[in-house]
Amino acid sequence: QSQELSQARIDYHVALQALQEHGTRMVCSGKMHTDRICRFDYLCYCSEAEEFVFFHSNSSVMLPNLGSRRFQPALLDLSSVEDHNTQYFNFLELPAATLKFMPKPVFVPDVTLILNRFNPDNLMHVFHDDLLPAFYTMKQYSDLDDEARLVFMEGWGEGPHFDLYRLLSSKQPLLKEQLKNFGKLMCFTKSYVGLSKMTTWYQYGFVQPQGPKANMLVSGNEIRQFAKALMEKMNITRVEEMEKDGGSAEDEKEKEKRDEYIVVFSRSTTRLILNEAELIMALAQEFQMRVVTVSLEEQSFPSIVQVISGASMLVSMHGAQLITSLFLPRGATVVELFPFAVNPEQYTPYKTLASLPGMDLHYVSWRNTKEENTITHPDRPWEQGGIAHLEKDEQERILASKDVPRHLCCRNPEWLFRIYQDTLVDIPSFLELLKEGMKTKPSLKKSKPASTVHPGRVREPQCQTSVQTTNEAKLTVSWQIPWNLKYLKVREVKYEVWIQEQGENTYMPYILPQQNYTFSENIKPFTTYLVWVSGSNGHGRIFHLWSLCLPFR
Ligand code: UDP
């Protein structure tokens, strides 16, 4: 690799002179360390000190210039996990003049994205924390293209899924460990530091119990485009596009002809389904479909994605392998199994993914409620759920408990004990629940109204009051349709009108099909009203901004 880098496409002397004269330049986006991504010219890294270095000269730029607040707590998060205190990024500062006394820098000519992988051993973390955020950070900055260099600073080895990280660009990603090989001082000609958090949907429970992120900003569309790009890189094409969501009789027939199948994603070392064969037989019989099993232990990742990308249903025990549901075709069902005493409502990374707007996956969870069907492993090491290291009282409490109480990440022994149980799936109750769950599966056709295209705000709202008698008045309100409405196939447009007496906190809401109306009930003479007009698509969903008009007195 050092050879690869030293075939510099840049003139060394020009680069060195530029660094000495201009120093480092940094311009960031984001107001807080948690939403910041910085772009640098000539950010350097000292491998001996394991520190990034900012060289000050007369023409260096540092924006934002936070002064000492740069350390409260950090300039930015280097991983996509929000405000995690092991994932902070900062640099040290030196005058550019000190370069004279330092080892000759090696320049990295590639545009570089510098980040921390959060947990590269775990497939869910690989996708949710690293691959998706890196993919969309690269989309955000156009010079982070297929030729970009990724540098992983968390300090881990390649890990079992390094091939997936390789798909992000044509250049081999670098690990922190490898930076030493390039010499004592290494300077990135152009680099971006940090990851976009826009695509993440789950928080792991560091400050409050785990659950969906409070403010999710990603929809199924972006997840699917990412999945498509990755599949292209892996040379996978979906066997059949299930996505053609016609509802006509012909399409239905077409669908029947297709070879539909169910995938059971199996784990072979921990959190086992003890009667997997029986479960597979039952699924095949119930749905009259072929059932295929896959496991990370037995297949290559691309071959697993190939199978999943054509499946109608994915069944698996709770676990990181379920992240592969992002490769399912639209309209497929995800069935997640939970061991005894684990409440599916409290561990929802895969439910949340399946339920993202436009993801169009149906989600069903099943939980083992029969204690006799669970196999515990109290004597295993603590990280696999062993509890032998705990006080006797605590062990007994855990054994007696039938529900893991809410807890924080990551070492709660009761949680680990329960989540690493093996399960004998009770087939009759499982099939019953699944049949019930399939009843609420929306048809793809219904789930795809123009909900992704929003009409704009209503235009030219007008209102006029007229006094009838000393205690009777009328209020006439009219407006024009949103500008883009005539181009949209939105059925059933309704307008929502709120009438609020000035100074009052309450209002009277009306839903109207037409674009004007004269109100006479509850309208007082000589009163100012605030009238808010909006559109809704008939399902009670308000889809644009309010307009405001003040009536005459
Ligand atoms: N894993 C697997 N088979 C197993 C156990 C684990 O393939 O029998 C994978 C799992 O999908 C994940 C990684 O190994 O990518 C770590 O598993 P762990 O149980 O620690 O995490 P979890 O699945 O609960 O997120």
Side-chain angles (χ1 to χ4, degrees):
Q1 268 133 22
S2 56
Q3 253 176 1
E4 194 189 333
L5 285 190
S6 59
Q7 304 167 358
R9 279 157 284 152
I10 48 168
D11 185 321
Y12 185 83
H13 292 286
V14 173
L16 186 59
Q17 213 170 3
L19 172 61
Q20 281 165 340
E21 276 174 27
H22 304 301
T24 307
R25 269 176 279 187
M26 172 189 95
V27 182
C28 306
S29 66
K31 276 190 190 153
M32 319 256 291
H33 72 280
T34 51
D35 65 357
R36 191 166 289 140
I37 295 178
C38 294
R39 194 208 138 112
F40 291 87
D41 293 321
Y42 297 113
L43 174 67
C44 298
Y45 179 75
C46 173
S47 54
E48 270 179 347
E50 302 194 1
E51 297 278 5
F52 284 94
V53 184
F54 184 108
F55 285 103
H56 280 274
S57 80
N58 289 338
S59 50
S60 33
V61 174
M62 191 190 288
L63 202 66
N65 197 326
L66 295 163
S68 60
R69 284 170 295 156
R70 186 155 69 74
F71 301 99
Q72 294 168 356
L75 179 62
L76 54 84
D77 291 339
L78 207 38
S79 85
S80 72
V81 174
E82 184 131 330
D83 196 31
H84 195 290
N85 61 10
T86 65
Q87 308 290 325
Y88 291 148
F89 170 85
N90 237 319
F91 48 73
L92 300 187
E93 293 158 273
L94 281 176
T98 55
L99 275 163
K100 291 199 282 293
F101 311 109
M102 300 189 79
K104 281 269 166 286
V106 171
F107 289 98
V108 180
D110 315 307
V111 181
T112 303
L113 175 59
I114 299 169
L115 62 104
N116 273 7
R117 297 178 298 168
F118 188 69
N119 181 356
D121 285 350
N122 180 301
L123 199 60
M124 154 67 181
H125 287 281
V126 169
F127 274 89
H128 178 269
D129 310 341
D130 310 338
L131 296 176
L132 268 160
F135 181 84
Y136 280 107
T137 304
M138 293 171 74
K139 293 278 170 275
Q140 187 169 347
Y141 302 102
S142 59
D143 49 350
L144 286 174
D145 56 16
D146 189 53
E147 313 264 277
R149 178 78 65 178
L150 275 72
V151 176
F152 302 145
M153 290 306 298
E154 77 291 333
W156 295 35
E158 289 190 351
H161 305 291
F162 204 62
D163 281 343
L164 292 172
Y165 294 95
R166 284 199 181 94
L167 300 177
L168 291 170
S169 95
S170 62
K171 300 247 166 80
Q172 168 83 355
L174 294 177
L175 301 172
K176 181 180 176 186
E177 185 62 24
Q178 296 169 319
L179 299 185
K180 290 192 190 70
N181 305 339
F182 299 109
K184 291 186 176 151
L185 188 62
M186 181 174 189
C187 295
F188 298 91
T189 314
K190 286 193 163 80
S191 62
Y192 292 83
V193 181
L195 279 179
S196 164
K197 298 184 175 76
M198 217 84 91
T199 60
T200 57
W201 63 84
Y202 208 69
Q203 61 83 11
Y204 300 121
F206 295 108
V207 283
Q208 51 172 321
Q210 63 170 274
K213 270 189 13 177
N215 183 14
M216 281 187 276
L217 302 170
V218 68
S219 82
N221 175 52
E222 289 69 41
I223 305 286
R224 288 191 177 283
Q225 297 216 24
F226 161 82
K228 192 172 153 219
L230 232 55
M231 284 171 67
E232 278 166 13
K233 297 265 183 193
M234 291 188 278
N235 279 324
I236 298 170
T237 40
R238 279 181 208 272
V239 184
E240 288 276 348
E241 287 286 329
M242 265 182 82
E243 300 178 18
K244 293 175 194 114
D245 60 309
S248 70
E250 246 173 80
D251 287 337
E252 284 304 312
K253 253 189 263 154
E254 188 60 32
K255 206 173 148 190
E256 273 166 26
K257 268 191 271 160
R258 251 197 322 269
D259 173 33
E260 293 195 51
Y261 57 92
I262 298 172
V263 175
V264 172
F265 207 136
S266 104
R267 295 171 59 111
S268 15
T269 57
T270 60
R271 206 176 302 150
L272 308 177
I273 299 171
L274 295 167
N275 54 339
E276 212 168 81
E278 198 189 352
L279 178 76
I280 288 165
M281 298 276 278
L283 284 165
Q285 208 154 41
E286 176 64 35
F287 293 95
Q288 291 295 306
M289 280 186 212
R290 202 151 58 85
V291 181
V292 196
T293 54
V294 293
S295 84
L296 289 169
E297 287 92 347
E298 266 147 58
Q299 274 113 334
S300 72
F301 192 75
S303 71
I304 292 174
V305 172
Q306 171 84 63
V307 174
I308 287 179
S309 69
S312 304
M313 185 183 286
L314 174 61
V315 181
S316 178
M317 191 53 80
H318 170 82
Q321 67 288 340
L322 266 170
I323 192 64
T324 54
S325 53
L326 67 84
F327 293 104
L328 282 168
R330 285 205 161 85
T333 303
V334 178
V335 184
E336 182 172 14
L337 313 176
F338 287 84
F340 181 75
V342 178
N343 182 350
E345 289 308 312
Q346 292 173 21
Y347 310 96
T348 57
Y350 314 110
K351 180 186 183 178
T352 307
L353 168 64
S355 315
L356 289 177
M359 197 60 208
D360 297 333
L361 293 176
H362 186 55
Y363 176 89
V364 181
S365 66
W366 173 89
R367 164 189 193 172
N368 176 22
T369 52
K370 298 191 167 163
E371 195 158 10
E372 67 271 24
N373 284 352
T374 199
I375 302 286
T376 60
H377 299 286
D379 299 322
R380 286 192 179 164
W382 70 266
E383 66 277 13
Q384 282 171 44
I387 50 170
H389 63 290
L390 301 174
E391 303 272 343
K392 264 275 159 300
D393 284 2
E394 182 61 359
Q395 291 187 32
E396 271 159 29
R397 188 194 62 76
I398 290 174
L399 289 168
S401 162
K402 305 211 178 314
D403 218 333
V404 179
R406 282 195 183 271
H407 57 89
L408 294 181
C409 189
C410 311
R411 297 185 171 195
N412 181 292
E414 183 172 356
W415 151 249
L416 291 170
F417 175 69
R418 289 306 184 182
I419 200 57
Y420 279 111
Q421 293 170 116
D422 300 329
T423 305
L424 193 87
V425 177
D426 181 64
I427 302 294
S429 82
F430 171 74
L431 286 182
E432 201 45 50
L433 177 123
L434 189 49
K435 272 191 276 183
E436 242 353 88
M438 292 306 281
K439 284 186 191 158
T440 59
K441 181 174 184 290
S443 91
L444 259 193
K445 207 181 155 208
K446 271 194 196 144
S447 70
K448 269 184 91 182
S451 61
T452 47
V453 184
H454 301 267
R457 59 157 88 205
V458 298
R459 293 184 304 158
E460 297 173 44
Q462 287 179 353
C463 34
Q464 198 159 12
T465 46
S466 59
V467 177
Q468 306 298 110
T469 67
T470 45
N471 47 20
E472 263 180 83
K474 283 185 177 174
L475 173 61
T476 300
V477 185
S478 68
W479 58 90
Q480 299 298 316
I481 66 167
W483 170 79
N484 60 346
L485 192 64
K486 59 179 177 289
Y487 301 103
L488 304 178
K489 287 185 206 136
V490 184
R491 282 161 298 174
E492 263 198 283
V493 172
K494 296 234 170 79
Y495 296 93
E496 221 171 292
V497 180
W498 291 4
I499 299 182
Q500 181 181 22
E501 197 177 318
Q502 196 177 37
E504 298 289 322
N505 285 327
T506 58
Y507 57 85
M508 292 185 301
Y510 299 89
I511 300 222
L512 300 170
Q514 74 275 28
Q515 283 158 251
N516 57 67
Y517 195 75
T518 301
F519 299 89
S520 51
E521 274 172 38
N522 301 319
I523 303 294
K524 296 182 216 154
F526 314 111
T527 308
T528 301
Y529 288 98
L530 303 169
V531 182
W532 308 76
V533 187
S534 170
S536 81
N537 67 2
H539 301 286
R541 223 176 304 150
I542 294 163
F543 50 42
H544 51 95
L545 295 168
W546 300 105
S547 290
L548 164 65
C549 69
L550 284 163
F552 307 127
R553 287 197 65 143

